[in-house]
Amino acid sequence: PKDKVQLAALLRNCKYFFSWDTVSATNTDAALCGAVPVLMHDLQIPRSEINFAEHGPFPNVSYEPGLQDRLPSDIALVDAAILSIQKNLNGFLESWPERVSGLAETISSRQAGK
C-alpha cells in the first residue's frame, strides 16, 4: 500500500494478518481494522510482555497449515481480544486532551515547586 488509507482498506479485507515482526505497529493497525494478528514467533519480545502493552493482549492465534481456510476453535476469545484492543485504543484517543492537560499540570506544579 502507498499510504495508511490503502493499508487500512487492505487490512479491512483480511481475516488474518501474519507477522514476523512482533513489535510492528502494523499488528495493531491490523487489529483496529478487524484482521486477526497472527504472530509467527515471539523471539523479539516474549508473548507475556506483548500482552501487557497498552493496547492489551493480541489474540493468541498461532500459525498452523490451513489456518487461513478455517477459523480458530476459540473464535469468541479472538473476537473479544480484537474488540478489547479497539476499545482500549479508542479510549486513549478520546482521553488524549485530558491526559495532555494532566501532564502539563504535573509539569507546571513541579516547576513551581523548585
Side-chain angles (χ1 to χ4, degrees):
K2 292 180 182 178
D3 55 31
K4 284 281 194 176
V5 173
Q6 287 185 356
L7 176 63
L10 177 68
L11 291 171
R12 282 190 199 100
N13 287 292
C14 292
K15 185 186 303 185
Y16 299 104
F17 176 71
F18 296 89
S19 180
W20 287 96
D21 186 352
T22 56
V23 294
S24 173
T26 308
N27 299 329
T28 305
D29 292 341
L32 287 172
C33 291
V36 177
V38 178
L39 306 179
M40 301 297 284
H41 64 82
D42 61 357
L43 300 175
Q44 292 163 307
I45 296 178
R47 168 100 34 194
S48 58
E49 290 182 35
I50 294 168
N51 286 345
F52 287 102
E54 63 187 2
H55 51 65
F58 284 122
N60 193 7
V61 177
S62 300
Y63 175 74
E64 299 170 18
L67 175 67
Q68 65 275 14
D69 298 325
R70 62 177 173 74
L71 294 174
S73 58
D74 56 354
I75 193 64
L77 295 175
V78 170
D79 286 345
I82 294 294
L83 288 173
S84 177
I85 290 169
Q86 292 169 339
K87 180 181 174 185
N88 290 342
L89 292 176
N90 284 331
F92 284 125
L93 289 174
E94 291 170 5
S95 67
W96 178 256
E98 296 94 33
R99 291 184 296 121
V100 170
S101 290
L103 177 62
E105 288 174 20
T106 299
I107 292 170
S108 270
S109 65
R110 287 184 182 172
Q111 287 180 341
K114 286 186 175 182

